[in-house]
Amino acid sequence: MRKVRIAVLVSGGGTNLQTLIDAIEKGDINGRIEAVISDHEGAYALERAKKHNIKAVYINRNQLSENLLPELQKLNIELIVLAGFLSILDRELVKAYEGRIINIHPSLIPSFCGKGFYGEKVHKAALDYGVKVSGATVHFVDEGTDSGPIILQESVPVYIEDTIETLAARVLQVEHKLLPAAVGLFCEGRLCIVGRKVNILKKEV
Amino acid sequence: MRKVRIAVLVSGGGTNLQTLIDAIEKGDINGRIEAVISDHEGAYALERAKKHNIKAVYINRNQLSENLLPELQKLNIELIVLAGFLSILDRELVKAYEGRIINIHPSLIPSFCGKGFYGEKVHKAALDYGVKVSGATVHFVDEGTDSGPIILQESVPVYIEDTIETLAARVLQVEHKLLPAAVGLFCEGRLCIVGRKVNILKKEV
């Protein structure tokens, strides 16, 4: 089976990227990461890519509009995975890759998502609100912020003694499970978007 | 130990009321339901009350402002439980019973809550959004709608084949667990509100 050509876009350390690399090396995902692209020159994610002989590309934040889509097209990318990517994607790019961009968000969408909710701010908002349950969401990207069709979600408990750090760590464990799972399903052609819902097709036997 | 005097306010059939009655009869809650009050004359919840020798009170929706608080005070009610009560409580009553009104909501607040989200509308919104996880929330009532401090939450999975009915039934099972648990904790004096957070104190040995 031909492998799906993946680009992973990351702004930071890239632990979610690492779980994808590991899952692919184990043969769990029918895909290949053709490039890791970052809007931060010093992002450790770029180092991770090099260590695994994956093309590492830095694109300045101000040049993303101009250079990102051509770079993806040049590499014949079929799936874009946002693994902690903080820049906003152009409307044109989102349209060109409709139903083929996957994002991970560290809350149970629609709670604590949308503009301004990224990274630690998500967990701070959850703790400030006083929820007893949070979680992670993997979803397709549409033209809104965190508003696209949801692929997978899983909850975690929130404890009274939690800090941003302890909650983030608990949610991250779930992220590390859900993101490779969702990318794997995509690469097997098992994700079917129907309106706002994502139907996960049974594995063909 | 003196039993906490409880009033349960219900608009409908009252399956959540029934779980409270059962838990109290089993001795799991250190409380006593002094009255079941409904804003619907034909509510089956009133029948349930009578069957268990609990005072059943009907107050016309238009006379709630005038008659509900005096009725509660006459009975020396210490805890109000909203178990599917569709009328809005007066600001005066909410203030008089601050930290002593418990509500159950059939979603993971802050998702699918607030004005207009009640009963089946909550589940319809969750299904329309395409979430993969929903749940139930028990919270204290403040002057907003579904905005008070959260006591307990628990998630349930949402399946692609779910209808409003199947999702409602799955969430209701969790409601039937969380509401008696929260009322039990309150009656043992183990719920401590700190700002927006509810600290559940350990059981004294």
Side-chain angles (χ1 to χ4, degrees):
Chain A
M1 210 164 150
R2 198 183 61 75
K3 290 192 187 303
V4 173
R5 299 174 65 87
I6 304 169
V8 183
L9 277 52
V10 200
S11 298
T15 66
N16 272 315
L17 164 67
Q18 190 64 52
T19 65
L20 287 178
I21 293 173
D22 295 346
I24 286 172
E25 291 187 350
K26 271 202 289 176
D28 290 347
I29 294 175
N30 181 46
R32 203 183 116 86
I33 302 176
E34 300 295 333
V36 169
I37 301 174
S38 183
D39 55 350
H40 279 76
E41 199 165 7
Y44 185 65
L46 295 173
E47 295 306 312
R48 290 188 199 266
K50 288 174 201 162
K51 278 187 192 166
H52 292 266
N53 298 312
I54 298 168
K55 186 176 181 183
V57 182
Y58 160 64
I59 302 179
N60 184 294
R61 192 171 271 242
N62 301 319
Q63 293 170 337
L64 280 173
S65 292
E66 216 173 316
N67 295 343
L68 182 54
L69 186 53
E71 180 71 29
L72 296 167
Q73 289 172 331
K74 196 177 73 188
L75 295 168
N76 293 314
I77 296 302
E78 298 164 294
L79 171 66
I80 300 170
V81 178
L82 308 181
F85 190 64
L86 298 181
S87 292
I88 302 294
L89 297 180
D90 262 30
R91 183 178 284 247
E92 188 196 353
L93 190 151
V94 172
K95 212 157 182 192
Y97 277 92
E98 196 183 346
R100 299 188 296 152
I101 310 174
I102 287 176
N103 183 42
I104 182 137
H105 184 83
S107 76
L108 291 176
I109 289 175
S111 288
F112 313 117
C113 65
K115 288 210 172 114
F117 286 103
Y118 56 87
E120 295 194 342
K121 293 187 183 193
V122 176
H123 302 300
K124 182 174 189 309
L127 291 174
D128 287 350
Y129 198 100
V131 291
K132 299 293 187 186
V133 166
S134 191
T137 302
V138 184
H139 64 92
F140 284 111
V141 171
D142 66 7
E143 289 174 11
T145 307
D146 302 328
S147 59
I150 293 170
I151 303 167
L152 296 171
Q153 289 186 303
E154 191 175 308
S155 64
V156 302
V158 180
Y159 303 116
I160 193 80
E161 60 271 21
D162 267 328
T163 60
I164 291 175
E165 290 69 31
T166 58
L167 178 56
R170 195 174 308 123
V171 172
L172 195 60
Q173 284 193 312
V174 173
E175 293 178 53
H176 288 171
K177 192 170 106 184
L178 295 191
L179 187 61
V183 172
L185 289 166
F186 181 95
C187 293
E188 290 175 33
R190 292 172 57 197
L191 297 180
C192 177
I193 304 176
V194 187
R196 279 199 55 78
K197 297 189 194 183
V198 179
N199 191 354
I200 299 170
L201 306 175
K202 292 222 168 70
K203 199 164 182 153
E204 282 180 32
V205 193
Chain B
M1 210 166 151
R2 199 182 59 78
K3 291 192 186 303
V4 173
R5 299 173 66 88
I6 304 169
V8 183
L9 277 52
V10 200
S11 297
T15 66
N16 271 316
L17 164 67
Q18 190 65 52
T19 65
L20 287 178
I21 292 173
D22 295 346
I24 286 172
E25 290 187 350
K26 270 203 291 178
D28 290 347
I29 293 175
N30 181 45
R32 201 183 118 88
I33 302 177
E34 300 295 333
V36 169
I37 302 174
S38 183
D39 53 351
H40 279 75
E41 198 163 8
Y44 185 64
L46 295 174
E47 295 306 313
R48 288 189 200 267
K50 287 175 201 160
K51 277 185 193 167
H52 292 267
N53 298 314
I54 297 168
K55 186 176 182 183
V57 181
Y58 160 64
I59 303 180
N60 185 295
R61 193 171 271 242
N62 302 320
Q63 292 170 337
L64 279 173
S65 292
E66 215 173 319
N67 294 342
L68 181 54
L69 186 52
E71 180 72 29
L72 296 167
Q73 289 172 330
K74 195 179 72 188
L75 295 167
N76 292 314
I77 296 302
E78 296 163 293
L79 171 66
I80 300 170
V81 179
L82 307 181
F85 190 65
L86 298 181
S87 294
I88 303 292
L89 297 181
D90 263 30
R91 182 178 284 248
E92 188 196 352
L93 190 151
V94 171
K95 208 151 182 201
Y97 276 92
E98 196 182 347
R100 298 188 297 151
I101 310 175
I102 287 176
N103 184 42
I104 182 136
H105 184 82
S107 76
L108 291 176
I109 289 175
S111 288
F112 314 118
C113 66
K115 287 209 172 115
F117 286 102
Y118 57 87
E120 294 193 344
K121 294 187 183 194
V122 176
H123 302 300
K124 182 174 188 311
L127 291 173
D128 287 350
Y129 198 100
V131 291
K132 299 292 189 186
V133 166
S134 191
T137 302
V138 184
H139 65 92
F140 284 112
V141 171
D142 66 9
E143 287 174 12
T145 307
D146 302 327
S147 59
I150 294 171
I151 303 167
L152 296 172
Q153 290 186 301
E154 191 175 309
S155 65
V156 304
V158 180
Y159 303 115
I160 193 81
E161 60 270 21
D162 268 329
T163 61
I164 291 175
E165 289 69 30
T166 58
L167 178 56
R170 196 175 307 121
V171 172
L172 195 59
Q173 284 192 313
V174 173
E175 293 177 53
H176 288 171
K177 194 171 103 184
L178 295 191
L179 187 61
V183 172
L185 289 167
F186 181 95
C187 293
E188 289 175 33
R190 291 172 57 198
L191 297 180
C192 176
I193 303 176
V194 187
R196 278 200 57 76
K197 297 190 196 183
V198 179
N199 191 356
I200 298 170
L201 305 175
K202 293 223 169 69
K203 197 160 182 156
E204 281 178 33
V205 193

